[in-house]
Amino acid sequence: MGKTKDLSAFEQGVVVGARRTGLCQELQRCWVFHAQQFPVFINNGLPPKGHPANLTQLWEALESTWASIPVERLQHLVESIPRQIETVLRAKGGANNLKSKKASSFHEFARSTNDAWDIDDEEDEDFLAPIHPSSLPPTLLSTQQVPPLPPQQPINTTIEPDTGPGPADRLAPPTAEVRLQHEEANGRVVVKSSSEAQLNTNTVRSTLQKQQSLPVRPIIPLVARISDQNSSGAPIMTVRDKSRLDKFKYLLSCPNTDLEELRKHSWSGIPREVRPITWRLLSGYLPVNMERRDLVLKRKRDEYFGFIEQYYHSRTDETYKDTYRQIHIDIPRTNPLIPLFQQPAVQEVFERILFIWAIRHPASGYVQGINDLVTPFFVVFLSEFVEEDVENFDVASLPLETQRNIEADSFWCMTKLLDGIQDNYTFAQPGIQNKVKALEELVSRIDEDIHNYFKRYEVEYLQFAFRWMNNLLMRELPLRCTIRLWDTYQAEQEGFSHFHLYVCAAFLIEWRKEILSMVDFQGLLMLLQNLPTIHWGNEEVGLLLAEAYRLKYMFADAPNHYKR
C-alpha cells in the first residue's frame, strides 16, 4: 500500500481528499521538526566524530530526535485528526469547498510553506537548540511524554522509484518504512539533511523525503556547480574573451586603476582570473593606488584578527549567546548541497565572520539571511588559490596564512556590501519593506496582467519578494549565477541597494507564462518560491541584466512613469 496505484479507486480518492483538506499537515510538521533536529549533512569523506557510523547509531539518533518533538504538537495532531477525517469522508474523497479559506488565510497557509530562510523557524525557536552534528541527544525523553516508537526492525536501505505519492511511505514514523541509503562496504552512513526543504504543490511530501540520505553525493552538472559556465557547458576562451581579459589586466596593472573604466568593463562580467582583485577594488576594500595595496591589505587583515582576539571569546557571554546560537544554527543551512560549505573549517570561518560583524553593528545585529551574503566573496577569494573544482576543494589543505587572508577579505567585502543596505536588516527591516512596495508599483506599470493576477488570487508581493530582497536572489539562483550577477552589482554605483529592484522586476516577468498558468493561491506561491533556475548559466543572467537595465533606464528617473 506504499504507492497510490495499489489503492482502490475510493481509497485513492480519500488520499487526494486528505491532501486537499490538509489532513497530513500536522504529521508533516512533525517530520519537519524531526528533520531539523537531525543535523547530519552530506560529507564526501569519513563522517566527523560523533556522526552515526553504522545503522545502530543511526537508529539511536533517529529515536532521540523523534522523541524530542514537543508534546503539545503531538496532542494537537491527535485532536485534529477526527475532525479532518470527517471532512474527507464528507467530501467522499473529492475536492472540498475550501477555496475561500485558501484565498483569505495566508497565515494558515504559510505554516505549511517556507519563509525566507526555513520552515516554522521563528514559531519553533525553542525547539531548535544549538545542536552540533557531533552532539546528538544522548538519552530519550520520558515515554510518558511522547508516543513510543515501534520495535526496531531491519531498515530497507533501497530507494524505490517514486511512481506515486502514497500515504504510507510519506507519513510513517521512523520505522522500516523510512528508506535510508548507506554505504555498507565502509560500514558507515552518510546522511543528507537540508534545512531548505520545501513543500510541493500537489502532494503533501514529507520534509524528510527531501532530506533522503545518499550514499554518495549525486553528480549533476550545473546544479550546484560554482565554476563559471553557460547552460551548455564550460566556456571556451574566445578571441573576444581573451581581449577582455587583456583589458582587465591592463587596467589592474596601472599605477592608479581607473575605477570608472573598470566598472564599465565589469558590467558584462568579470573574467575568473581577475575577479578576486576586481571585486576588492570595486567594493572599496582596496585602494586604486597599486603601491598602497599591500600595506592596506596587511593592515585590514591584522585589524580583523584583532577583532577576533578581542571579541570572539565573548560569544558564550549572556549578552551575545543568542546571537551566536542563531549563527551556529544557520551556518549548516548555507548552501547545504555544496560540500565546500559543509567542511568544519569553512563553517568555523563563517561563524567568526558573522559573529564579529554582528557585534560591531548593534543597530541590526545578525539577521537570518546575512549568512548567505558571505558565500560569494568566500568562493571568489578562494578561487584565487584553487584551479580545480572549488565546490569539492578541501580548504584545510591550504596554508594557514592563505586561509586567514581569505577569511579577512571576505569579512571586509561583506561589510562594505552591508554598509549600503543595512536598513534591510535593522528593526522591522524597513529597507526590505520599501523595496517590496517599490517592486509592486513597478510591476503594476510594466505588466498589469501579472499584477492583477496576483490581486485576483490575493497574493501579496511580500509573501515571495521578501526573500528576494533579503537574500539578494541568492535562494532563487545557483551560486554560479549569483557570482555573475554580483559582477554587475559591483559595477553599478548602487547595484545592491537600487539596481537590484529592477533585476527582481525583470526576474518576475521572466516567469510570466508560468505565473499566468497557475489557477490558485497555493500554486502561485509554490511556483514563486521554487522557480526552476537550476540550469541557469551566464547567458540567462546576461539576458536578465539586460532587461533590468532597460527597466531602470525607463523608470529610475521617471517618477511619473513609476506611479499611476
Side-chain angles (χ1 to χ4, degrees):
M1 244 196 48
K3 298 181 177 62
T4 306
K5 68 178 182 180
D6 298 327
L7 305 178
S8 68
F10 177 75
E11 289 172 328
Q12 291 186 40
V14 171
V15 171
V16 173
R19 292 179 187 132
R20 291 177 177 174
T21 56
L23 174 63
C24 305
Q25 286 186 5
E26 288 300 326
L27 277 171
Q28 188 174 31
R29 289 182 197 128
C30 289
W31 273 115
V32 171
F33 282 115
H34 179 265
Q36 289 177 332
Q37 286 288 85
F38 193 69
V40 183
F41 295 85
I42 294 175
N43 189 290
N44 286 347
L46 293 175
K49 182 180 180 181
H51 284 204
N54 51 54
L55 288 179
T56 300
Q57 293 181 17
L58 176 62
W59 180 261
E60 292 173 355
L62 288 169
E63 282 186 324
S64 298
T65 53
W66 186 259
S68 62
I69 297 175
V71 65
E72 294 83 6
R73 182 167 293 277
L74 297 171
Q75 184 65 31
H76 183 71
L77 166 64
V78 172
E79 293 173 354
S80 67
I81 284 179
R83 182 181 68 255
Q84 297 184 31
I85 289 178
E86 181 181 355
T87 303
V88 174
L89 294 177
R90 186 164 57 247
K92 296 182 179 180
N96 294 281
N97 186 22
L98 297 177
K99 182 174 181 180
S100 60
K101 179 179 180 181
K102 179 163 58 178
S104 61
S105 179
F106 166 72
H107 291 293
E108 181 173 347
F109 172 77
R111 286 198 295 269
S112 64
T113 60
N114 59 319
D115 64 2
W117 310 282
D118 205 85
I119 299 175
D120 289 338
D121 193 53
E122 295 181 0
E123 176 186 344
D124 308 296
E125 183 178 357
D126 293 338
F127 183 82
L128 285 171
I131 299 176
H132 190 274
S134 62
S135 58
L136 291 171
T139 59
L140 302 179
L141 298 178
S142 169
T143 55
Q144 296 177 353
Q145 294 180 331
V146 296
L149 290 169
Q152 182 173 347
Q153 302 176 21
I155 295 181
N156 181 358
T157 59
T158 62
I159 296 182
E160 301 177 2
D162 188 4
T163 58
D169 51 3
R170 305 286 185 191
L171 303 172
T175 66
E177 293 298 322
V178 180
R179 297 175 171 86
L180 296 176
Q181 288 186 340
H182 67 288
E183 296 185 26
E184 291 185 294
N186 295 331
R188 64 186 180 89
V189 180
V190 179
V191 183
K192 169 191 173 185
S193 177
S194 167
S195 69
E196 296 181 22
Q198 300 172 341
L199 310 180
N200 284 354
T201 51
N202 299 324
T203 60
V204 183
R205 299 177 72 94
S206 166
T207 301
L208 187 61
Q209 185 170 6
K210 281 210 168 188
Q211 300 174 344
Q212 286 285 12
S213 55
L214 301 171
V216 180
R217 182 177 177 274
I219 305 301
I220 307 177
L222 303 175
V223 171
R225 302 283 295 188
I226 296 173
S227 56
D228 285 320
Q229 296 176 6
N230 292 318
S231 56
S232 58
I236 300 174
M237 179 71 77
T238 64
V239 174
R240 179 179 178 275
D241 293 334
K242 186 177 185 307
S243 176
R244 291 188 72 246
L245 178 58
D246 291 341
K247 182 64 176 177
F248 271 93
K249 289 181 176 179
Y250 169 76
L251 289 171
L252 296 170
S253 64
C254 292
N256 291 283
T257 300
D258 185 342
L259 280 185
E260 287 304 314
E261 193 70 13
L262 188 62
R263 287 193 179 97
K264 175 183 173 182
H265 287 81
S266 299
W267 205 99
S268 56
I270 303 171
R272 183 181 188 272
E273 296 85 347
V274 294
R275 182 176 277 137
I277 186 172
T278 304
W279 275 29
R280 291 187 186 102
L281 285 164
L282 294 179
S283 67
Y285 175 45
L286 271 187
V288 295
N289 183 274
M290 181 178 290
E291 293 182 355
R292 295 182 53 225
R293 288 176 191 169
D294 290 341
L295 292 175
V296 169
L297 279 178
K298 185 180 185 308
R299 177 173 60 82
K300 298 298 284 185
R301 289 165 178 172
D302 290 345
E303 185 179 359
Y304 168 72
F305 284 101
F307 294 151
I308 296 292
E309 294 178 7
Q310 184 176 358
Y311 298 119
Y312 194 59
H313 64 85
S314 65
R315 64 190 182 279
T316 56
D317 293 352
E318 188 68 26
T319 305
Y320 301 120
K321 69 177 184 179
D322 288 341
T323 296
Y324 178 73
R325 173 181 171 274
Q326 189 60 61
I327 292 172
H328 187 73
I329 290 173
D330 289 343
I331 291 301
R333 304 172 177 178
T334 306
N335 292 293
L337 297 182
I338 300 179
L340 172 68
F341 300 111
Q342 302 311 313
Q343 297 177 27
V346 174
Q347 294 188 355
E348 290 170 7
V349 166
F350 279 33
E351 285 186 359
R352 288 193 293 267
I353 289 174
L354 294 170
F355 181 76
I356 296 302
W357 187 89
I359 64 175
R360 294 190 72 245
H361 295 81
S364 62
Y366 173 74
V367 177
Q368 288 177 307
I370 295 179
N371 55 304
D372 284 327
L373 306 184
V374 185
T375 56
F377 292 114
F378 183 83
V379 167
V380 167
F381 297 145
L382 176 63
S383 69
E384 199 169 13
F385 305 95
V386 180
E387 293 185 0
E388 63 263 33
D389 188 12
V390 176
E391 70 176 73
N392 292 298
F393 182 76
D394 181 9
V395 173
S397 65
L398 289 172
L400 181 58
E401 185 67 20
T402 299
Q403 296 181 46
R404 288 167 59 90
N405 292 344
I406 293 171
E407 177 177 346
D409 292 355
S410 299
F411 169 82
W412 286 115
C413 288
M414 185 197 75
T415 299
K416 292 287 187 179
L417 184 161
L418 289 171
D419 285 348
I421 57 172
Q422 192 169 355
D423 62 340
N424 284 7
Y425 306 105
T426 54
F427 178 74
Q429 299 182 267
I432 291 179
Q433 302 278 351
N434 293 335
K435 290 181 177 70
V436 171
K437 182 63 177 176
L439 177 65
E440 180 177 359
E441 294 175 352
L442 182 58
V443 172
S444 71
R445 299 301 296 162
I446 63 179
D447 198 320
E448 194 171 5
D449 289 344
I450 287 182
H451 183 70
N452 290 336
Y453 207 70
F454 287 162
K455 291 174 66 176
R456 174 183 174 185
Y457 290 105
E458 301 184 19
V459 174
E460 299 290 337
Y461 284 76
L462 197 65
Q463 292 164 2
F464 63 89
F466 179 89
R467 185 171 75 182
W468 295 11
M469 303 299 177
N470 186 77
N471 300 85
L472 299 177
L473 288 177
M474 287 194 62
R475 295 295 175 95
E476 324 310 320
L477 298 171
L479 184 53
R480 63 181 180 274
C481 295
T482 297
I483 291 173
R484 167 62 190 91
L485 189 67
W486 283 25
D487 286 347
T488 300
Y489 280 4
Q490 298 202 76
E492 284 277 335
Q493 288 286 358
E494 296 179 311
F496 295 99
S497 60
H498 185 63
F499 186 63
H500 180 67
L501 167 67
Y502 300 96
V503 172
C504 288
F507 187 65
L508 181 64
I509 304 305
E510 172 72 20
W511 308 102
R512 185 179 197 277
K513 179 180 178 181
E514 290 80 359
I515 289 171
L516 297 180
S517 70
M518 294 293 108
V519 294
D520 58 30
F521 172 83
Q522 179 172 330
L524 275 169
L525 254 293
M526 297 308 292
L527 169 68
L528 292 167
Q529 293 182 344
N530 299 275
L531 292 167
T533 62
I534 200 71
H535 293 292
W536 273 34
N538 289 347
E539 295 172 0
E540 291 81 2
V541 175
L543 293 172
L544 178 69
L545 290 167
E547 177 63 14
Y549 183 81
R550 184 185 71 85
L551 294 176
K552 178 188 174 186
Y553 183 81
M554 292 175 60
F555 292 97
D557 297 319
N560 291 333
H561 291 181
Y562 199 72
K563 298 181 180 179
R564 291 184 180 280

